[in-house]
Amino acid sequence: MLSDEGARLRGALDAIPGPIAVAVSGGIDSLTLATVAHHHAPERTAMFHAVSPAVPGDATARVERLASERGWALRVIDAGEFDDADYRANPVNRCFFCKTNLYGSIGRHTQAQMVSGANLNDLGEYRPGLDAARNNGVRHPYLEAKIDKAGVRRLARLEGLGDLAELPAAPCLSSRVETGIAIRADVLKAIHAVERGLAQRFPLGTVRCRVRASGVVIELDPVTLDAVMAGLQDGVRAHVAELFAGKVASADLRIEPYRNGSAFLHGAA
């Protein structure tokens, strides 16, 4: 039976005339939107996924696997944000430049109406990427259907996405770099290696590896933090020192409790 949220989302999709291009990052929001859009109107829905050093390979693999299983029309593109000096400078509105490049790239491949997986929870945070979306005429079906993150997860379960419905939030790897520190592909690769290694050991935990002017900070949820501090601290420190050697101003490591968006310095314009 179709849920009320599902009906509202399909209504929002029906209100979009012509073909639809879904920007799919590999997170649960865009994966669910792509799944619902394809299920509801496969003949007019295509998916676009951008690869870059800021996108973990497992996110791309997730998108490609679902595309194969579900029969999506998927196009993998290079959004080209690493060619943009404004993006690499990592200003406070870095996401604006990221999304500007993403939507510009998608627009060069299709005339379809672009849609994103932004949901109601995103409106409560500083999201310069929404400014880029507005500039490029992107629509947000979840917002039009008044669906929040919890609603997205409910839809994911109803659409048979299984464990993906509980996929933790995972912003792009550039979000781990403190505002004002230049974005570099080799640093993002090291960040991902640290996070992936800890996530394999603690699959239910929250793990963030931050690069700050003062050094490298690993942030963990309380349970994972206790486990690391109890017996893995020395090994983690050695691993981080090896991965970041010569790549950052300081590879001094701190291990701290997780704080959402702590690498983002809102006042650093």
Side-chain angles (χ1 to χ4, degrees):
M1 186 175 74
L2 189 63
S3 69
D4 178 62
E5 288 160 331
R8 296 202 311 271
L9 181 57
R10 284 161 174 77
L13 293 169
D14 286 340
I16 299 173
I20 296 171
V22 184
V24 186
S25 66
I28 190 56
D29 299 332
S30 60
L31 288 174
T32 302
L33 179 60
T35 300
V36 172
H38 175 77
H39 189 185
H40 183 58
E43 72 286 347
R44 67 186 187 102
T45 302
M47 320 309 170
F48 288 81
H49 174 72
V51 293
S52 97
V55 178
D58 42 356
T60 298
R62 195 180 302 128
V63 172
E64 293 178 332
R65 175 175 61 79
L66 270 180
S68 176
E69 292 174 356
R70 303 267 173 155
W72 296 351
L74 172 66
R75 185 156 191 170
V76 178
I77 61 173
D78 179 355
E81 76 270 32
F82 273 73
D83 295 328
D84 185 344
D86 289 324
Y87 169 83
R88 296 196 311 274
N90 195 20
V92 70
N93 62 338
R94 181 198 67 247
C95 291
F96 172 82
F97 300 106
C98 175
K99 296 297 187 183
T100 295
N101 282 282
L102 170 65
Y103 297 135
S105 182
I106 294 175
R108 287 190 289 275
H109 290 285
T110 180
Q111 296 299 308
Q113 172 63 58
M114 289 180 280
V115 299
S116 90
N119 65 71
L120 289 177
N121 291 81
D122 296 320
L123 300 181
E125 300 179 356
Y126 177 58
R127 295 277 181 167
L130 292 176
D131 295 332
R134 183 178 61 253
N135 292 348
N136 286 273
V138 177
R139 292 181 66 166
H140 311 291
Y142 290 137
L143 298 183
E144 295 176 25
K146 295 181 170 50
I147 295 173
D148 61 8
K149 186 76 169 192
V152 171
R153 294 193 188 279
R154 286 191 291 269
L155 286 169
R157 295 183 197 105
L158 289 172
E159 288 290 332
L161 291 181
D163 291 343
L164 289 179
E166 311 310 321
L167 193 68
C172 80
L173 293 172
S174 294
S175 70
R176 319 298 202 266
V177 181
E178 188 173 82
T179 303
I181 298 176
I183 301 296
R184 289 173 38 183
D186 59 344
V187 171
L188 300 189
K189 184 177 180 180
I191 288 170
H192 183 52
V194 171
E195 292 189 349
R196 189 172 188 183
L198 285 169
Q200 288 173 342
R201 187 181 288 263
F202 305 102
L204 299 180
T206 298
V207 178
R208 292 289 187 272
C209 178
R210 316 282 197 191
V211 172
R212 299 180 182 159
S214 59
V216 178
V217 179
I218 294 178
E219 295 182 351
L220 306 168
D221 66 277
V223 173
T224 306
L225 179 63
D226 288 345
V228 169
M229 298 302 282
L232 299 173
Q233 190 174 170
D234 290 344
V236 170
R237 289 184 184 280
H239 187 50
V240 167
E242 179 183 359
L243 286 170
F244 284 96
K247 299 181 178 69
V248 295
S250 172
D252 291 343
L253 175 67
R254 299 197 309 276
I255 301 175
E256 300 179 350
Y258 169 71
R259 291 185 295 125
N260 181 43
S262 66
F264 174 62
L265 304 181
H266 201 296

